[in-house]
Amino acid sequence: MFIKMDMAADKPIYIQLKEQIIEGIARKELQPGDDLPSVRSLAADIGINVHTVNKVYQQLKQEGYIQIHRKRGVIIHPDGFLPADENYINSLKEELRPLLAASICHNLTIDEFKELSDEIYLQILNKEGEQHE
Amino acid sequence: MFIKMDMAADKPIYIQLKEQIIEGIARKELQPGDDLPSVRSLAADIGINVHTVNKVYQQLKQEGYIQIHRKRGVIIHPDGFLPADENYINSLKEELRPLLAASICHNLTIDEFKELSDEIYLQILNKEGEQHE
DNA sequence: TATCTGTTCTATTAGTAGTATAACAGACAA
DNA sequence: TTGTCTGTTATACTACTAATAGAACAGATA
């Protein structure tokens, strides 16, 4: 598995796990229909509690990233990428807004902000540059 | 004051307050040297606890947005906008990364993402479009 | 002296993050 | 049928954060 937890970080581990799975989907390492480990095996694998993994899976299901079948287990949603509906766009806007406000206060131009976005975008999709430390 | 709290939101009120002050600085409604209300008066004004306001001021001081003087009170940092040092850029990147990964999963192109950024950027700087609900 | 400022202390309530054990119900293979 | 895997639910506990509350201290100033 490609999961790397940072137990010392202030970011909750269930958020870390969730983000890494989403990034795995984004870079197509996890493709539609692919199996995900069971809650128990993944929990044992990365050394965290079953409930923590279950919480992540429930949220990913809720947001449409995965499907959960009683016996077969957990799979990446077979329909492929999600629709960028108004709901999603609005939540994205609300998350971007404080980042942009702070950027302005740090003398970052909108062009510099967009260049940064480009950079990270390529970094995510580049299969080589796995880790970001 | 231009502060509007949403007590029903899941976002902690100290985060809301902090973000609104930062956005006030970004849109230049709060200019270098300007006075901010005392912890007590602001707390009474928006109906929250003194300690909550104090926490926000301490963090804003720590991040260089404001100065706190024993008697004079709290002022917007007189040096103007902050430097976009490596430290800040790295923290911004870490916040942007999960947003971009999720955007990719929602079929958003990098260009659409950047258009969204443009839109919010203008929305912040536009003195008219105050609220974002 | 009285009053304002930020600051610090202690204490309480409520909620979240994470762990731990256990049990239930469905699926499936031996 | 039995055993074992799956997700799911329930309960309980610890630790931490968010928020409130009241009080007190120290410096500045009118």
Side-chain angles (χ1 to χ4, degrees):
Chain A
M1 203 61 188
F2 54 92
I3 303 292
K4 295 244 174 82
M5 288 296 141
D6 180 0
M7 296 308 186
D10 24 327
K11 189 178 289 194
I13 56 181
Y14 84 97
I15 298 282
Q16 294 183 42
L17 176 56
K18 186 179 173 184
E19 288 181 351
Q20 291 195 39
I21 292 175
I22 292 177
E23 186 165 326
I25 300 174
R27 67 198 305 159
K28 298 191 175 55
E29 287 170 3
L30 296 173
Q31 302 212 354
D34 278 3
D35 285 326
L36 251 56
S38 75
V39 287
R40 285 180 176 86
S41 69
L42 182 52
D45 197 359
I46 57 185
I48 63 175
N49 194 274
V50 182
H51 292 78
T52 308
V53 176
N54 191 53
K55 181 178 182 176
V56 172
Y57 279 1
Q58 291 303 323
Q59 292 190 4
L60 290 173
K61 178 179 77 172
Q62 163 82 20
E63 294 168 27
Y65 288 100
I66 63 176
Q67 279 183 348
I68 300 178
H69 299 96
R70 196 88 207 179
K71 169 57 186 173
R72 182 177 168 196
V74 181
I75 63 169
I76 304 298
H77 199 106
D79 290 355
F81 280 176
L82 304 165
D85 57 0
E86 191 183 357
N87 222 32
Y88 173 72
I89 295 292
N90 283 336
S91 69
L92 176 57
K93 277 187 188 175
E94 277 183 25
E95 293 182 282
L96 267 176
R97 189 176 180 107
L99 297 191
L100 274 160
S103 294
I104 294 172
C105 292
H106 286 77
N107 269 320
L108 224 63
T109 66
I110 181 64
D111 286 329
E112 288 169 325
F113 185 91
K114 289 192 285 186
E115 278 169 32
L116 256 184
S117 302
D118 272 324
E119 188 182 324
I120 300 164
Y121 183 84
L122 294 176
Q123 198 175 331
I124 291 173
L125 294 185
N126 174 17
K127 303 274 180 189
E128 322 310 329
E130 301 279 40
Q131 292 319 333
H132 52 294
E133 284 178 71
Chain B
M1 203 62 186
F2 54 92
I3 304 291
K4 295 246 174 83
M5 288 296 140
D6 179 1
M7 295 308 184
D10 23 329
K11 189 177 290 196
I13 56 181
Y14 85 96
I15 298 282
Q16 294 183 42
L17 176 56
K18 186 179 173 185
E19 288 180 351
Q20 291 194 39
I21 293 175
I22 292 176
E23 186 165 327
I25 300 174
R27 68 198 302 159
K28 299 191 175 55
E29 286 169 2
L30 295 173
Q31 303 212 354
D34 278 2
D35 285 327
L36 250 56
S38 75
V39 286
R40 286 180 176 85
S41 70
L42 182 53
D45 197 359
I46 58 186
I48 64 176
N49 194 275
V50 182
H51 294 78
T52 308
V53 177
N54 192 52
K55 180 177 183 176
V56 172
Y57 279 0
Q58 290 303 322
Q59 292 190 5
L60 289 173
K61 178 179 76 173
Q62 163 82 19
E63 294 168 26
Y65 288 100
I66 64 175
Q67 278 183 347
I68 301 179
H69 299 97
R70 195 90 206 176
K71 169 57 188 173
R72 181 177 169 197
V74 181
I75 63 168
I76 304 298
H77 199 105
D79 290 355
F81 280 176
L82 304 165
D85 57 0
E86 192 183 357
N87 222 31
Y88 173 72
I89 295 293
N90 283 337
S91 69
L92 176 57
K93 277 187 187 174
E94 276 184 26
E95 292 182 283
L96 267 176
R97 189 177 181 104
L99 297 191
L100 275 160
S103 294
I104 293 172
C105 292
H106 285 78
N107 269 320
L108 224 63
T109 66
I110 181 64
D111 285 330
E112 288 169 326
F113 185 91
K114 289 193 285 187
E115 278 169 32
L116 256 184
S117 302
D118 272 325
E119 188 182 323
I120 299 163
Y121 184 85
L122 293 175
Q123 197 175 333
I124 291 174
L125 295 185
N126 174 18
K127 303 275 183 188
E128 324 309 330
E130 302 278 42
Q131 292 319 332
H132 51 295
E133 290 180 64

